[in-house]
Amino acid sequence: MTNTQSTADKRGTTLINHWQCGVPVTRGPILTPFVLFLLGVAALGLGLAALRFFSPLGPFSSMNDAYAWGIWKTFNVMTLTALGSGPLALGIAAWVFNRQRLHVVMRTALVSGFLFYATGLVALGFDIGRPWNFYSAILPWRWNSESAMLEISICMPLYCFVFLSFEILPLFLERLYYTGNDKARAFLRHFSPLIRKAYPFLIIGAYVIPLMHQSSLGGLLLLAGTKINPIWQSPAMPLLYLIAAGLCGFAFTIFLLLIVCLRYGRALDADVLNELANLLSGVCVAFLAVRLVDLTMRGQLHTAFALNGMSLIFLFESALILTPAVALRFRRVRETPRSLLNMAALACVGGTAYRFIPTSIAYMPPHSTRYFPSVPELFIAAGWIAVGMVGFILAINYFAVLPGENRTWDHSFRPFGWPHKVASTPFTPAVTLERGA
């Protein structure tokens, strides 16, 4: 490990946001069999993606004139960016509704959200016909102001590569501060006031921009008209897509925290989990309420309960969200890690199902053709997911991402380099809950 030198500025004025308490993982190997498996999937997917880049879409995709959107758009972008909405959901709860204790898990949400967005956006470069024209998005005089995709194509890269990147910047500054030399620390002391001045303005953008593009993803589907089954096709889709993003954001943050803390033997604050679970339950109830009112007002309630194929899919999707909505109202469920993990997983599946179904299963163009992703499409999609997972594992090992007890952190980081030697102290994976102050 790279140990820090003593400094008069031991609290680190360059840490920018002391309320986000992160502690890096400094024990255990990084290059585990699971990581090797992920690297293999990523290598296969990226290899196929590289071949696709120099080849037409035909040999790599089952897309056709009726189904112009494959799973690289409908799953990697439309669906997985909902799971990456943790920074939006937690940020609004923490900053707008003053749930200050949630700041402690914000870094976990920020890093996972950045990886979901970044991998989804890069994957789009292999999906579109002429990716070398993507630079047009930053040239206003080349914008097609009549395109429904305009807002999304601008807002999503802007959010990921400007606002989200700015929010995770303290992770890099913090490591540089504690592992750098005196010149680096002096530079960061000089540089940090500028970041602090910009922080409030960029925070506003970090929440307004995703509100716009998450609702616009739902609005985009309105253009499909009657091609989408009436159970899902609705003027309320922009609102429902936005609520589903919040639902998935809370659910995936809970799921991820429990999984990584189980893996690395980290203690979690029971009050923080309790609050996250409460919020998740509330968002699930809000989603189902809007869905029910929408179906009633459009006169489609009988279609939703017709017990045919699409009706059963709707009922299954709703049950996945209704179960955590009800179960998480009970304190015993919220305070039991296994139950909380199961409920968060159900909410993740239910929320992502709502985002995925209208773009694929319930999308029925008036042609006698169907779409099912080809094998290369599936491998490429899985490859980008594996890239994101490896990125997260590296992030929590090299940077202070996961919540932890700051009093136990001696400001030490793993040195860059891979593979890393096995740490000195073995550990027993276990989830330990302790109540915060």
Side-chain angles (χ1 to χ4, degrees):
M1 282 182 285
T2 301
N3 293 313
T4 60
Q5 300 172 12
S6 61
T7 169
D9 185 25
K10 200 164 186 176
R11 277 283 291 166
T13 55
T14 54
L15 300 188
I16 312 302
N17 45 8
H18 297 294
W19 56 85
Q20 293 178 358
C21 306
V23 177
V25 175
T26 55
R27 296 183 303 167
I30 298 177
L31 199 59
T32 62
F34 179 62
V35 174
L36 286 173
F37 169 75
L38 290 177
L39 286 173
V41 175
L44 178 59
L46 296 187
L48 288 171
L51 290 176
R52 146 66 198 119
F53 197 78
F54 296 101
S55 165
L57 273 172
F60 291 88
S61 171
S62 296
M63 287 186 282
N64 50 54
D65 289 342
Y67 287 88
W69 284 13
I71 58 168
W72 300 333
K73 288 190 184 78
T74 60
F75 188 72
N76 288 63
V77 177
M78 300 286 278
T79 303
L80 292 187
T81 54
L83 293 181
S85 296
L88 171 64
L90 269 71
I92 289 179
W95 288 107
V96 179
F97 295 100
N98 204 29
R99 305 291 183 99
Q100 296 187 11
R101 65 177 56 162
L102 298 184
H103 284 298
V104 74
V105 294
M106 184 64 81
R107 287 185 173 190
T108 305
L110 285 170
V111 172
S112 62
F114 175 82
L115 290 170
F116 273 121
Y117 269 85
T119 53
L121 287 170
V122 174
L124 274 183
F126 297 86
D127 189 9
I128 56 181
R130 291 182 290 180
W132 47 87
N133 285 336
F134 204 75
Y135 70 93
S136 297
I138 61 174
L139 304 176
W141 58 89
R142 301 196 65 173
W143 289 354
N144 179 3
S145 59
E146 297 182 359
S147 171
M149 287 289 291
L150 178 63
E151 181 193 338
I152 296 170
S153 61
I154 294 173
C155 285
M156 290 187 75
L158 183 67
Y159 172 60
C160 178
F161 298 118
V162 176
F163 295 103
L164 262 183
S165 297
F166 180 81
E167 285 198 275
I168 63 174
L169 181 62
L171 297 177
F172 298 92
L173 299 183
E174 187 177 66
R175 179 177 175 112
L176 178 60
Y177 182 85
Y178 284 122
T179 61
N181 55 28
D182 290 339
K183 286 185 178 179
R185 278 190 281 275
F187 170 76
L188 290 176
R189 289 192 194 98
H190 177 74
F191 185 58
S192 62
L194 299 176
I195 297 179
R196 286 176 183 277
K197 287 181 180 177
Y199 204 86
F201 302 99
L202 286 167
I203 282 294
I204 294 172
Y207 300 120
V208 173
I209 297 294
L211 286 175
M212 292 169 62
H213 71 246
Q214 287 292 347
S215 58
S216 294
L217 287 173
L220 192 62
L221 294 180
L222 295 177
L223 298 177
T226 56
K227 294 178 183 176
I228 297 178
N229 187 282
I231 296 177
W232 285 270
Q233 181 57 283
S234 159
M237 283 189 87
L239 176 60
L240 285 166
Y241 255 58
L242 181 59
I243 300 175
L247 186 158
C248 292
F250 282 124
F252 187 72
T253 302
I254 295 172
F255 181 82
L256 188 61
L257 283 169
L258 286 168
I259 289 293
V260 295
C261 289
L262 173 68
R263 167 64 182 85
Y264 295 104
R266 286 293 180 89
L268 272 176
D269 191 320
D271 287 340
V272 171
L273 282 178
N274 202 338
E275 185 153 358
L276 282 172
N278 246 328
L279 290 167
L280 172 59
S281 174
V283 177
C284 287
V285 170
F287 176 85
L288 292 171
V290 173
R291 195 96 161 88
L292 182 61
V293 170
D294 170 59
L295 286 169
T296 305
M297 291 184 68
R298 289 190 296 111
Q300 295 293 338
L301 207 54
H302 67 285
T303 310
F305 290 92
L307 300 183
N308 53 24
M310 284 297 164
S311 168
L312 292 176
I313 292 174
F314 161 77
L315 293 174
F316 181 65
E317 169 204 298
S318 300
L320 289 171
I321 299 175
L322 179 63
T323 304
V326 174
L328 292 176
R329 301 318 305 163
F330 297 94
R331 190 179 185 88
R332 189 180 63 180
V333 175
R334 297 197 301 269
E335 293 183 344
T336 306
R338 181 188 296 273
S339 302
L340 183 55
L341 179 69
N342 291 336
M343 292 303 107
L346 285 181
C348 283
V349 176
T352 53
Y354 174 76
R355 300 271 298 218
F356 181 69
I357 289 171
T359 64
S360 50
I361 300 172
Y363 182 79
M364 294 174 290
H367 298 283
S368 59
T369 179
R370 298 296 295 172
Y371 164 80
F372 189 83
S374 65
V375 173
E377 273 185 287
L378 292 172
F379 276 122
I380 291 175
W384 288 114
I385 295 172
V387 168
M389 294 175 71
V390 171
F392 186 79
I393 292 170
L394 294 179
I396 62 177
N397 277 279
Y398 289 112
F399 298 96
V401 176
L402 296 181
E405 298 178 73
N406 272 1
R407 64 177 182 271
T408 66
W409 182 28
D410 60 357
H411 299 156
S412 297
F413 290 88
R414 291 177 189 264
F416 285 124
W418 203 15
H420 179 61
K421 291 182 180 178
V422 178
S424 56
T425 309
F427 67 95
T428 304
V431 167
T432 307
L433 295 179
E434 56 182 28
R435 198 162 296 282

